[in-house]
């Protein structure tokens, strides 16, 4: 770490994996910022986090909207001085088989899970280039690697995130910026608990480790990838899935 406190923007910080990442990076000495859409949800989340001694800077911005993201990045740079780390974590599911998928279910998932990555990284990248330092982590999914029935939208977006990782990693490798993907398997969050129980039980039976992952197990990997120790890791995709998909 430098003498200056590093600043991390974690999108979708109020969700299951996002909360764990915000907590872990705060504990590791980062000043953490996140975005939100619902005032009500954000207020409850802020209270829950402050009870645990975690203070996160909150900004209202919809990650599907470029202008809102650009404004948020400018506000964070002004308020907190810089952005050194981006964790593109915001994500949604709209699971349904292709024969039933409505255009909105396709566009909502591509907008939130993939277009968001452009919307956040583009306005923040020049600051990182000027400072000669950056860590960008894209939270993808096992289902972007192997595909999943009912998730053509989600699998496409998550696979797209890793394509983005590989291209950008090459562009900025000589500028002190690393870009990596983390691909969680099935983690015990509301998103996974929304899968019908009978289907979820069948999925858990396919995980060699024999259980769902924990959000903290994803946060620990993010903490490593954003550390100075990980300076030689770029363009990689770290699978954290209990052995469910090996490739
Ligand atoms: N294997 C084989 N066939 C399957 C199947 C499977 N796992 N699942 C569904 N099908 C087949 C059915 O047999 C049926 O075929 P027939 O028409 O020939 O009988 C057909 O698909 C059912 O199609 P429907 O369009 O009627 O599907 P449905 O309404 O029953 O629901 C679904 C399908 C929404 C995809 C449901 O199966 C589901 O929720 N699956 C879980 C999807 C999932 O894993 N989501 C992950 C969410 S968590 C997350 O995304 C986080 C992360 O990164 C891991």
């Amino acid at each position: 770490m430098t003498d200056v406190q590093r600043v991390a923007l974690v999108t979708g910080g109020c969700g299951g994996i996002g909360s764990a990442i915000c907590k872990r990076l705060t504990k590791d000495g980062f000043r953490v910022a996140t975005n939100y859409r619902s005032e009500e949800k954000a207020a409850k989340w802020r209270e829950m986090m402050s009870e645990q001694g975690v203070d996160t800077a909150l900004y209202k911005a919809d990650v599907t909207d470029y202008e809102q993201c650009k404004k948020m990045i400018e506000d964070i740079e002004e308020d907190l001085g810089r952005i050194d780390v981006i964790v593109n974590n915001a994500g949604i599911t709209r699971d349904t088989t292709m024969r039933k998928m409505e255009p909105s279910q396709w566009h909502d998932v591509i907008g939130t899970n993939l277009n968001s990555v452009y919307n956040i990284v583009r306005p923040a990248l020049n600051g990182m280039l000027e400072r000669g330092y950056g860590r960008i982590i894209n939270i993808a999914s096992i289902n972007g690697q192997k595909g999943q029935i009912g998730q053509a939208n989600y699998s496409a977006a998550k696979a797209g995130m890793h394509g983005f990782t590989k291209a950008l990693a090459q562009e900025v490798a000589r500028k002190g910026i690393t870009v990596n993907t983390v691909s969680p398997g099935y983690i015990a969050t509301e998103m996974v608990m929304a899968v019908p129980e009978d289907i979820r039980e069948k999925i858990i039976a396919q995980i060699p480790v024999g259980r769902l992952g924990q959000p903290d197990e994803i946060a620990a990997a993010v903490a490593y990838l954003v550390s100075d120790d990980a300076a030689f890791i770029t363009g990689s995709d770290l699978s954290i899935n209990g052995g469910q998909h090996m490739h």
Side-chain angles (χ1 to χ4, degrees), residues 93 95 97 99-100 141 148-151 154 186 195 199 203:
T93 52
D95 292 358
T97 49
R99 61 188 175 182
K100 296 181 192 164
S141 167
Q148 167 63 41
I149 289 174
Q151 285 201 310
Y154 186 88
Y186 284 74
V195 174
I199 297 174
I203 291 169

Side-chain angles (χ1 to χ4, degrees), residues 57-154:
L58 281 153
Y59 293 84
K60 184 162 188 172
D62 180 337
V63 293
T64 66
D65 185 309
Y66 179 73
E67 292 304 327
Q68 289 186 36
C69 290
K70 187 167 173 280
K71 168 86 171 54
M72 170 171 68
I73 300 291
E74 287 164 1
D75 288 347
I76 295 172
E77 286 176 340
E78 193 173 322
D79 297 347
L80 309 180
R82 51 206 284 130
I83 297 175
D84 304 292
V85 171
I86 292 172
V87 184
N88 285 306
N89 166 75
I92 57 168
T93 52
R94 295 287 182 267
D95 292 358
T96 183
T97 49
M98 184 49 100
R99 61 188 175 182
K100 296 181 192 164
M101 192 179 287
E102 297 296 335
S104 64
Q105 293 172 309
W106 173 263
H107 291 298
D108 287 354
V109 170
I110 299 296
T112 304
N113 300 14
L114 183 58
N115 293 341
S116 59
V117 173
Y118 170 82
N119 294 342
I120 293 290
V121 171
R122 174 67 181 85
L125 191 63
N126 283 332
M128 288 182 172
L129 289 167
E130 279 159 24
R131 288 185 294 275
Y133 182 86
R135 295 278 185 272
I136 298 171
I137 312 288
N138 297 315
I139 307 294
S141 167
I142 183 175
N143 293 340
Q145 298 169 319
K146 71 169 186 59
Q148 167 63 41
I149 289 174
Q151 285 201 310
N153 47 5
Y154 186 88

